[in-house]
Amino acid sequence: MILSLLPSAAHGGIGGGFQYLTTLIVNRRVAVDAGALGVYGTPKEQAEIRHVFLTHTHLDHVATLPIFVENIFLSDPSPVCIHGSTPVFDCLQKDIFNNRIWPDFIALSQKPESPFLRMVPHEPGQTAEVEGLKITAISLNHVVPTVGYIIDDGKSAVGYVSDTAATDEIWDRLNQCPNLKAVLIEVTFPNDHQWLADISKHLTPANFKDEVAKLKKPVPILALHVKARFNKQVVKEVLALQLPQVEFMEFNKVYEF
Ligand SMILES: [Zn+2]
Ligand SMILES: [Zn+2]
């Protein structure tokens, strides 16, 4: 399995090392979250993405989804599949594809001449099979309904613990996963902003330590989703934990599992 984290700052500019938006690409064909998806590469490269899985509807995870769908329209006879839970789809319909923020691509897709996208329900606990991958959604503990994913190609499995406060179910599932090769997990605010992490249901490095201690397998742990304005402090506090399994995920690096 090949995995990469898209950069989200304007190409080549100052700020290239900061993560403002979240999108992971799996095997060039599947995107997990669409924060930066619509501003990555060329329309042709974007059109290679045939499935988008959405963890939740916060803007850093869906911001450029509408741009992406527009960019790739008519590039392939079959529409791109958007996978998400009922609350995610309700929000996309009411708050994004509502003919005010952006055209209602969901309604337009009912017409044979304008198949922009296909909405594929994917509720927590369910496993979708696409592009040779089994992708299982697991509920997390965030301020809006949010899932993490276990992505399994039969040989390797990777866990993605998206936006969350303390959680247990996904760790139980990952500990039972026989071919687990890596876990990606958020760490958002520094320790002196615990109050902000608590009200927004995110992890500080102190919480991160408690979460990763729940993993009983010696696989690499890749940290991501650091708030840009706290980047230096969060990185320092995580490195001070001296956890040998942990490293920060780099943008555009090809991770092979
Ligand atoms: Zn969020
Ligand atoms: Zn987020």
Side-chain angles (χ1 to χ4, degrees):
M1 186 187 318
I2 293 173
L3 205 70
S4 54
L5 173 64
L6 291 189
S8 54
H11 177 69
I14 294 168
F18 294 103
Q19 185 179 348
Y20 302 117
L21 305 166
T22 299
T23 299
L24 297 162
I25 303 288
V26 187
N27 295 346
R28 299 177 69 92
R29 303 284 289 171
V30 174
V32 178
D33 285 332
L37 188 57
V39 291
Y40 129 83
T42 61
K44 201 167 163 232
E45 283 172 287
Q46 290 183 23
E48 288 183 46
I49 304 294
R50 303 314 302 152
H51 297 269
V52 181
F53 287 78
L54 298 174
T55 59
H56 66 304
T57 49
H58 278 157
L59 209 54
D60 52 327
H61 300 256
V62 300
T64 68
L65 177 71
I67 311 295
F68 162 76
V69 174
E70 161 62 30
N71 286 345
I72 67 165
F73 180 49
L74 295 179
S75 60
D76 192 288
S78 59
V80 65
C81 291
I82 311 295
H83 303 256
S85 64
T86 302
V88 166
F89 282 1
D90 285 349
C91 178
L92 291 182
Q93 178 73 80
K94 283 184 193 140
D95 302 324
I96 295 179
F97 297 115
N98 57 13
N99 289 323
R100 295 187 304 278
I101 295 291
W102 206 242
D104 185 351
F105 285 161
I106 299 170
L108 286 168
S109 297
Q110 304 301 316
K111 301 178 181 179
E113 68 274 19
S114 52
F116 279 94
L117 48 78
R118 192 156 75 84
M119 307 290 273
V120 185
H122 188 215
E123 306 297 345
Q126 291 181 342
T127 300
E129 292 194 38
V130 302
E131 303 285 340
L133 301 167
K134 286 186 178 169
I135 301 182
T136 304
I138 315 280
S139 287
L140 298 178
N141 175 20
H142 195 36
V143 286
V144 292
T146 300
V147 297
Y149 294 113
I150 299 174
I151 306 168
D152 193 336
D153 67 2
K155 200 170 78 113
S156 307
V158 171
Y160 171 39
V161 184
S162 176
D163 294 17
T164 196
T167 189
D168 289 314
E169 187 184 352
I170 197 160
W171 297 116
D172 294 342
R173 295 289 294 262
L174 292 169
N175 284 328
Q176 291 164 27
C177 193
N179 52 349
L180 188 71
K181 296 294 193 302
V183 174
L184 283 50
I185 174 173
E186 76 124 283
V187 57
T188 300
F189 292 111
N191 287 328
D192 62 3
H193 282 66
Q194 186 66 55
W195 64 274
L196 189 51
D198 290 343
I199 56 170
S200 60
K201 291 202 167 190
H202 281 297
L203 303 175
T204 61
N207 307 140
F208 173 90
K209 185 183 177 204
D210 294 340
E211 288 307 295
V212 301
K214 297 174 186 174
L215 182 67
K216 305 300 177 202
K217 293 185 172 246
V219 299
I221 294 170
L222 301 171
L224 71 168
H225 198 276
V226 179
K227 280 284 180 214
R229 66 187 182 280
F230 300 119
N231 186 277
K232 241 181 173 171
Q233 197 179 342
V234 171
V235 170
K236 198 173 146 200
E237 288 174 359
V238 170
L239 294 179
L241 298 171
Q242 296 193 305
L243 301 169
Q245 281 170 272
V246 173
E247 61 181 282
F248 280 88
M249 199 167 187
E250 293 175 38
F251 302 113
N252 271 338
K253 181 171 166 179
V254 175
Y255 291 86
E256 203 165 344
F257 299 110

